[in-house]
Amino acid sequence: MRTGKFFLYIIFSWLLVYLVSETCLASVRSIGKINPNFQGSQMNWIDNDGLFLLSNKSQFAFGFTTTNQDVTKFLLVIVHMGSQRVIWTANIDTPVANSDKFVFDENGRVFLQKGASVVWSIDTGGKGASAMELMDSGNLVLFGEDENSKIWESFDHPTDTLLWGQEFVEGMRLLSEPNSKNLSYFLEIKSGDMILSVGFKTPQPYWSMKNDIRKTINKDGGGVSMASIEGNSWKFYDKSRVLLWQFIFSSNSGSNATWIAALGDDGVISFFNLENRESSGSSTQTKIPSDVCSTPQRCDSYYECFSDKCQCPSGLTSLPNPNCSTGLDSVSSCDRSKSPNTQLINAGAGLYYFALGFVSPSLKGDLNLCKTSCQNNCSCVALFFQNSSGDCFMFDKLGNFQNSDKGSSFVSYIKVSSRGSSSQSGSSNGKHFPYVVIIAISTVLVICLLVYLGYRYYKKKKFPQSPQESSEEDNFLETLSGMPVRFTYKDLQTATNNFSLKLGQGGFGSVYQGILPDGTRLAVKKLEGIGQGKKEFRAEVSIIGSIHHIHLVRLRGFCAEGSHRLLAYEFMGNGSLEKWIFRRNKQDHLLSWETRFNIAVGTAKGLAYLHEDCDSKIIHCDIKPENVLLDDNYQAKVSDFGLAKLMTREQSHVFTTLRGTRGYLAPEWITNYAISEKSDVYSYGMLLLEIIGGRKNYDPTETSEKSHFPSFAFKMMEEGKLREILDWRLENDENDKRVSTAIQVALWCIQDDMNLRPSMTKVVQMLEGISPVLPPPTSSSPLGTRFFSGFLKSTSDEGTSSAPSEYNSDAHLSAVRLSGPR
C-alpha cells in the first residue's frame, strides 16, 4: 500500500513539473541573454514591471511597458533602468494586451503576437538565431549559429532615440511617436546632409545640419554618411570616416555622462544625460531646431507663429467668416464632384514658411503664372512667390507660418472657397438665398421638436413615479437603522467649497476636504465609474454605513442625486500611512517603533472585524499603506472597504490587474485560484513588512540582495540578523520581543500557499502575545506548495501542516462580499 502511494506521488510530481515548468521559467527575469524556446506575456513578469531581460550590469532592460494613452495596452521596449526612459520600441503602432506573447521559438524566429496574428517580427534573412543578448550599451543583438556572428541588432533599427556610440547611417530613419493630430516627424541622412522632415503626404523638410550655424566645421566639403553621439557632441563623418562637423550640445564633457538624442512628437530633437538621476526627465537647453517657430506645428495650420503666441494672419482675418481652423484644407480635394469653387487670397505681409529654405521651386515665372498654376492644380493649397528670383513654391499641405524678416521677400496666397468670400454676389445666388434659409430654419425647428418630444417620452418611461412617491421612498429609507445621513449634492458642494481642496486620488475617485455648518470635518469621495442605480447604491451604502469599528473609517453620509455618487467619511487628520513610513524628506516626522506597532495591531483588528464579525464577510482586496489612515493620535483605521460592489464589472477588472499596487496582490490573483480572506492576509503581511522596514517592498535603487525586501527578510531571519530588517533609523531595544514577533508574523502572512497563512484573528492574537508564534517556513514555491499540500492530505492520513490548525481556512469567493477591486 505504501509502495503504491509512493509511485503515485512520483507520477504526480512529474506531471506537476511538466505543467508548471513553462510558467515558472517565464516568471524569472533573465540576465544578459535568452535562448530559443522562450516565450511569455506581460502577466508572466508582472512583478518585474513586465521586463524579462536585463543587460549584464542591469543598466538596460527588455520587456513590456504600458502605453501613455491606455494602461491596458502594452509595448515591447528597451528601457534604461536608472532613468526609466524608453529608448527603443518594437511595436509602436500596434500595442498588445497583457496576455499577448513575445516568442523566441525553437527555430530561432523572434516575433510578437496579438491574439492569433503576428504584429512584429525580426527579419533575419532566413537565418535562425541561437541567442538574443541585451548589451550594456542598450543594443539588443541576435546571434546566428555562430555566437560571434550578429544577424540583427536594434542599433540598426532605431525608433525615436539615438544612444551614445550608436552609429546613424544613410538609409536609417529616426521616427517620432505620432502626436495628437496623428502627425509624425522623421530624421534621416540624405544627399550628404542630416535632415528633419514632417510626415505630410508629401514630406516637407524644416531643418538640416548643413544650414545650422551652431555646428563646428572640421573639414569643408564632402557629404555626411554617418553620425554618432560621442561625449557631449554629435559628430558627422563622410564615407571614409573623416570628421566633417561636430555639434556640441552640452558643456558637460564628463566621461560618466551617457547622452542620448530623442525626437519628440513636437518635431524637436532634445538631448538627455541618462546618468544624471536628478534631471533624467529634463533635457539640455540646446534644441534642434533652435527656433520653436521653425517646427511645422508649433501653432495650428495656417496660423502665424510668434515666439510667445499664435495668431491668424491678417489676410485671413479679412474674410467674411475669419477662421484659420475650419474648412481651409477642404479646398485641396481633387474630386471634382466635391471640389468647391476656389480663389486665391493674399495671406498677409511678412509671412515665411519653414520649408522654403529646403525645397526646390515648383516653377519659375511671374506671379500671374504662379497663381494660375496653383488654381489649376487641385492639390495646391498655398503658394509662395519670390519677386527677386521668380521662384514659385506650391504646397499640398500647410503647417504654421513664421513671422520672420525672411518673409519680406515673399508674397503668399492661400486657396479658399469662393462661397466664403465677399466677391460672390451673383443674381443667381441672391435669387435662391431666401429658399435656402427657409428650408434650413424649418429643418432645425423640426429636429428641435423631435428632440423635445423624445426627451419627454424618455423621462416619462425612465422616471414614472411622482415626486411625492419618490420623496416617500427616500424618507422611508432614511428611517432604516444603520442608514447614513443622505446629503444633497449642493450640501457637499458647499461643504467642500466647490471641491477646491483635494486630499488625494484613489482608484475609486478623488477625495476632497469638507466642513459642515456645525464645524464637523469630512473627507468627501467623488466616486467614478459607478454602474448602479440609486436604489442599489443606497442599499450597498446602508451595509457599509452599518459597519462600526474603532479601526475602520466610518461612513458619515452619502449622496445619490442624478449621476452624482459621493461618500462622506470621517476626517482623518494625519492622512494615509504611506506618507509616514516612506519619508520623502529628511525633515519629515519619523514614526517610533511603539507607534508603528500600534498601527500594525490596529490595522489587523480592523481587517479581522471585516472578515469574521460582520453579518456578511467582507474581503478588502486592496490593503496597502494608502488605504490605512491615521487620526490625530496616529490611531490606524482601514479605509475603502466595501467599494467593489459599487464599481462596474469592466472597471473593477482593470482596477485589479493593472493599477499600481501589484506588490500587495496575493499569488492567487495571478494564478486564478479562488480568492478568500487569505488574500487580504497576504497583503497585510506585505504592509507589515513595510511598516517594520520603513521602505517599499521593491526598491530598484537598493543592491540586488536588498531590492526585493520580502526575500531579504526571509534570508536575514534564517541568519538570525533581525536588526537588518528593522528600519535603520529606529532605536532598537534588544529586550523588545515585539520586533521579532512582528517580523515572523509578517513572514507567515506572505506564504505563497494560502493554507499556511494565519487568519487575521490569529494575527492579532500573535501580535498581542496571546498566542505563540512558530518560526515560519523559509521557502515556498508559488504553485508547487499548494498542489503538494492538497496531494499529501489526500494520500496520507498522517500528513499534517507545519502551521497551527487555526491558520487554515476554506472560505471562497462565493461565500463572501467582496470589498476591494476585482
Side-chain angles (χ1 to χ4, degrees), residues 132-161:
M132 172 181 279
E133 184 171 355
L134 182 58
M135 306 295 187
D136 283 314
S137 62
N139 191 15
L140 184 67
V141 180
L142 271 185
F143 292 96
E145 294 183 3
D146 177 6
E147 290 204 2
N148 293 320
S149 63
K150 298 179 181 178
I151 60 176
W152 182 91
E153 55 186 313
S154 61
F155 270 17
D156 289 343
H157 305 272
T159 50
D160 64 351
T161 303

Side-chain angles (χ1 to χ4, degrees), residues 140-201:
L140 184 67
V141 180
L142 271 185
F143 292 96
E145 294 183 3
D146 177 6
E147 290 204 2
N148 293 320
S149 63
K150 298 179 181 178
I151 60 176
W152 182 91
E153 55 186 313
S154 61
F155 270 17
D156 289 343
H157 305 272
T159 50
D160 64 351
T161 303
L162 292 175
L163 278 75
W164 183 90
Q166 180 177 358
E167 293 187 355
F168 186 66
V169 301
E170 195 166 0
M172 292 182 183
R173 177 176 282 195
L174 205 66
L175 183 67
S176 75
E177 289 189 18
N179 60 20
S180 59
K181 298 177 182 176
N182 201 30
L183 186 65
S184 297
Y185 304 86
F186 61 89
L187 177 75
E188 60 184 348
I189 294 177
K190 185 178 180 182
S191 302
D193 194 5
M194 180 178 279
I195 299 172
L196 261 177
S197 302
V198 58
F200 291 150
K201 184 177 181 181

Side-chain angles (χ1 to χ4, degrees), residues 50 106 584:
E106 59 186 4
R584 294 174 175 82

Side-chain angles (χ1 to χ4, degrees), residues 131 193 275 488 561 607 622:
D193 194 5
E275 301 305 325
T488 65
E561 184 178 304
L607 284 174
D622 196 24

Side-chain angles (χ1 to χ4, degrees), residues 337-349:
S337 64
K338 298 179 181 178
S339 180
N341 294 324
T342 60
Q343 65 172 348
L344 292 168
I345 64 166
N346 193 319

